Every structure is written in structure tokens, then in C-alpha cells.
């Protein structure tokens, strides 16, 4: 818990910037991260029944993911991109527990399905918010990657944002890479 | 719609035109192992008239061979070039499959590709109704092309 204290001020600052409603220009990192923060908060409040707090955007993340579960979902149409969520195993299991009522002791099929469905629901929330800005996106299907040591690289030189969230079980990271129209 | 044929045609064409390499399709697999060891998967999402994704799964060795041929360079480690190349292979394969499906009157749009790799990882995608798992042989080994598609109602 100690390291969290240090970033708290930073976080409050960014929360002000990030969750501002009525985005005039959606094509900014602040616009997209605001929508993703809202969509994620909504999914956690209505489906996962777990407290979640939006942290400050991160400039980078480690390439290698250790003992984690990731879900990757392609986005096309008005915006070409890919949305991914990276969860440490413990966070993934607790999110599954929040959704299903009982926390699995290991990363089983239910945990993987939950993380895949979570990225799908967050992308659904983004889709609704973009539609209000006359930007219609279409979603592919989620793929789920898990393991003790792996890499997930969202390719192309498109814009990237890394938005972490804090839960009781630890932090997880939302990664969004996007370019213009398909 | 014969998805297996689309995958075979797309893969043979892309490898012949982009890598000057002849690949031989095997028999479609009913399922695959969820676990990949020392491998790379390139994937790209498909959305629109069909919703799904296309992935290419290969060992590090095959991935390096594909990259070396594709870029005309010597590749000795799984570096960024290899990840880019395998993601781009998925992108090109999906582009070709998309063309054959579009002739069928369905508009499909592709997402940005991703590359996944590691010593040991699982890779799962269940959402789709139609699944094709097609193994291919090339001089440096085998690779697998996976297509998951769900037709969308109008």
C-alpha cells in the first residue's frame, strides 16, 4: 500500500482532467482516456461490484508481463485501433470473483472469460460515448492471453494511452492504441 | 461460405507474393492446444459484416525465418522486427480474407494488429461461431492460421 501514497496527489490532479464531461474534441488523449475511465468505472459499478479508482496516465509500461492475464480487442470503423487490458493474476481472479460471487483460486477458464468480457464491456462503453460524438466504431471479438511471462505488443506507430486503475486487489492497466478512420 | 478455402488461398498467396515462399496447407484441425511455448502469435480484429479475428501462431524459429525472408535481413533474436513482421503477416492475411468475404457482399474492417509472444502463454478466443484452424508447412517448419468469425445480422 505504501507506494500508492506517493502517487495520490498526482492521481487527484489527473482525475480532474480525465473525467471531465462534454468533450469538445474527442481526438485527444484526454478525450479518449476520459471516456475509457467512465466506461471502466461504469462496468465495475454495475457488473463487477468492486471499487475502482482511475489513476494518472502512464508514459510507459514494462514490455514483459509476469503472471498476468491480458485481453485484446480490435476496434475498427470510425476509429482504427486496439484496446487491451493487462491484469496481474490476483487482480484478474478478484475481478472474476466480483462478477461471479466466488473468487477462483487459480486462473481458470472463468477468469479468462471474465477478463475477455470485461474488455468487451469497456469497449462497448467507449462505443456508446464515441457515438454521441458522431464517431461510429465497430468491435471485433476479444482474445485472452495468460501466462507466467509473455509480451503483448499493440503494433503500428499510432497514438497510445496507458490508463491504470486501482482495485482492492491491486492495479490493472488499460492500453488503447488508435489511429484515424479505417 | 468456405472459410477454410479463404484461409488457404490467402495464406498461399501472401507467402508466395510477399515472401516468395511456397507453403503447403495441411488438414484443418478440429481444435488446438491453448498453450504456446517459445512462440509468437500475430492477431488482428475484424468487425463489420462479420465480427471476429485472424491470428497466425508460430514458433520463434519460424517467426525469425518469416521475418528474415520478409525484410531480407539476418534475424538472430526475437526482436521488434520479428513482432512487427508477424503482426503485419496477420494484417495481410486478414486483408486477403476480407477481400474474399467482401465479394460475398459483407463489408469488413480491420483493427490495428497486435503481436503476442513468450516462453509460455495461453491464447484463447471463443466468441465466434465459425472457426478455422489451418496448419501450414514451410521449409523452416510449421505455423498455424486461425480464423474466428461470427456473421452479423443486418
Amino acid at each position: 500500500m505504501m507506494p500508492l501514497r506517493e502517487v495520490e496527489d498526482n492521481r487527484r490532479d489527473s482525475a480532474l482532467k480525465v473525467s471531465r464531461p462534454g468533450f469538445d474534441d474527442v481526438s485527444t488523449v484526454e478525450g479518449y482516456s476520459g471516456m475509457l475511465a467512465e466506461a471502466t468505472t461504469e462496468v465495475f459499478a454495475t457488473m463487477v461490484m468492486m471499487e475502482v479508482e482511475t489513476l494518472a496516465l502512464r508514459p510507459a509500461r514494462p514490455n514483459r508481463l509476469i503472471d498476468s492475464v491480458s485481453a485484446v480487442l480490435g476496434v475498427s470503423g470510425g476509429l482504427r485501433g486496439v484496446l487491451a487490458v493487462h491484469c496481474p493474476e490476483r487482480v484478474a481472479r478478484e475481478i472474476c470473483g466480483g462478477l461471479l460471487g466466488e473468487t477462483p483460486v487459480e486462473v481458470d477458464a472463468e477468469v479468462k472469460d471474465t477478463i475477455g468480457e470485461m474488455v468487451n464491456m469497456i469497449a462497448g462503453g467507449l462505443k456508446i460515448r464515441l457515438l454521441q460524438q458522431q464517431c461510429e466504431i465497430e468491435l471485433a471479438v476479444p482474445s485472452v492471453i495468460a501466462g507466467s511471462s509473455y509480451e503483448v505488443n499493440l503494433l503500428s506507430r499510432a497514438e497510445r494511452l496507458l490508463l491504470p486503475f486501482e482495485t482492492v486487489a491491486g492495479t490493472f492497466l488499460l492500453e488503447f492504441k488508435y489511429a484515424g478512420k479505417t | 461460405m468456405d472459410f477454410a478455402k479463404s484461409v488457404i488461398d490467402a495464406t498461399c498467396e501472401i507467402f508466395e507474393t510477399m515472401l516468395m515462399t511456397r507453403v503447403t496447407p495441411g488438414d484443418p484441425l478440429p481444435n488446438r492446444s491453448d498453450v504456446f511455448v517459445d512462440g509468437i502469435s500475430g492477431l488482428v480484429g475484424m468487425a463489420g459484416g462479420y465480427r471476429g479475428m485472424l491470428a497466425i501462431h508460430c514458433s520463434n524459429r519460424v517467426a525469425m525465418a518469416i521475418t528474415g525472408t520478409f525484410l531480407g535481413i539476418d534475424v538472430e533474436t526475437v526482436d521488434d522486427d520479428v513482432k512487427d513482421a508477424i503482426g503485419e503477416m496477420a494484417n495481410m492475411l486478414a486483408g486477403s480474407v476480407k477481400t474474399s468475404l467482401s465479394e460475398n457482399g459483407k463489408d469488413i474492417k480491420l483493427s490495428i494488429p497486435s503481436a503476442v509472444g513468450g516462453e509460455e502463454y495461453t491464447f484463447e478466443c471463443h466468441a465466434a461461431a465459425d472457426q478455422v484452424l489451418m496448419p501450414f508447412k514451410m521449409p523452416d517448419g510449421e505455423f498455424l492460421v486461425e480464423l474466428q468469425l461470427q456473421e452479423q445480422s443486418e
Side-chain angles (χ1 to χ4, degrees), chain A:
Chain A
M1 282 294 133
M2 279 305 282
L4 283 177
R5 288 263 168 243
E6 291 171 19
V7 295
E8 208 159 77
D9 285 345
N10 191 0
R11 179 196 314 173
R12 220 173 267 136
D13 245 23
S14 112
L16 280 176
K17 275 185 233 139
V18 164
S19 57
R20 185 184 53 216
F23 327 93
D24 295 329
D25 180 8
V26 293
S27 59
T28 61
V29 167
E30 287 77 15
Y32 291 127
S33 57
M35 286 185 236
L36 287 168
E38 275 186 14
T40 306
T41 306
E42 191 177 270
V43 167
F44 271 74
T46 57
M47 303 294 297
V48 186
M49 309 300 171
M50 206 165 148
E51 297 264 338
V52 70
E53 191 177 355
T54 310
L55 305 181
L57 286 169
R58 278 188 193 164
R61 68 163 170 91
N63 271 343
R64 195 148 282 268
L65 297 156
I66 308 291
D67 294 330
S68 300
V69 181
S70 299
V72 178
L73 178 69
V75 171
S76 65
L79 200 63
R80 182 169 182 254
V82 56
L83 180 69
V85 58
H86 309 293
C87 305
E89 282 185 358
R90 174 151 181 262
V91 179
R93 288 190 293 105
E94 290 294 341
I95 290 173
C96 182
L99 193 73
L100 302 179
E102 199 174 326
T103 303
V105 292
E106 55 176 21
V107 175
D108 57 11
E110 277 181 342
V111 174
K112 293 180 199 170
D113 283 351
T114 298
I115 302 306
E117 190 47 34
M118 185 172 93
V119 78
N120 201 28
M121 289 189 291
I122 295 171
L126 176 67
K127 181 179 174 161
I128 291 168
R129 284 166 178 82
L130 283 171
L131 204 52
Q132 289 164 355
Q133 314 280 346
Q134 276 73 51
C135 174
E136 191 171 359
I137 60 166
E138 288 171 287
L139 308 181
V141 296
S143 298
V144 181
I145 298 104
S148 53
S149 171
Y150 62 90
E151 289 186 23
V152 176
N153 298 277
L154 312 184
L155 301 170
S156 95
R157 282 160 198 84
E159 291 287 328
R160 170 165 92 160
L161 71 85
L162 290 165
L163 187 61
F165 293 88
E166 178 72 29
T167 72
V168 285
T171 52
F172 68 89
L173 191 61
L174 202 60
E175 179 173 9
F176 186 44
K177 206 146 191 191
Y178 55 95
K181 236 173 140 47
T182 304

Side-chain angles (χ1 to χ4, degrees), chain B residues 42-44 54-56 85-95 110 113-114:
Chain B
L43 68 142
V44 62
L54 182 141
I56 175 170
I86 300 308
E88 188 50 31
M89 290 305 296
N91 198 32
M92 290 189 292
L93 291 172
L110 305 183
S114 315

Side-chain angles (χ1 to χ4, degrees), chain B residues 51-66:
Chain B
R51 205 177 161 218
M53 68 99 201
L54 182 141
I56 175 170
H57 307 287
C58 52
S59 65
N60 286 345
R61 186 167 157 261
V62 169
M64 288 190 281
I66 289 174

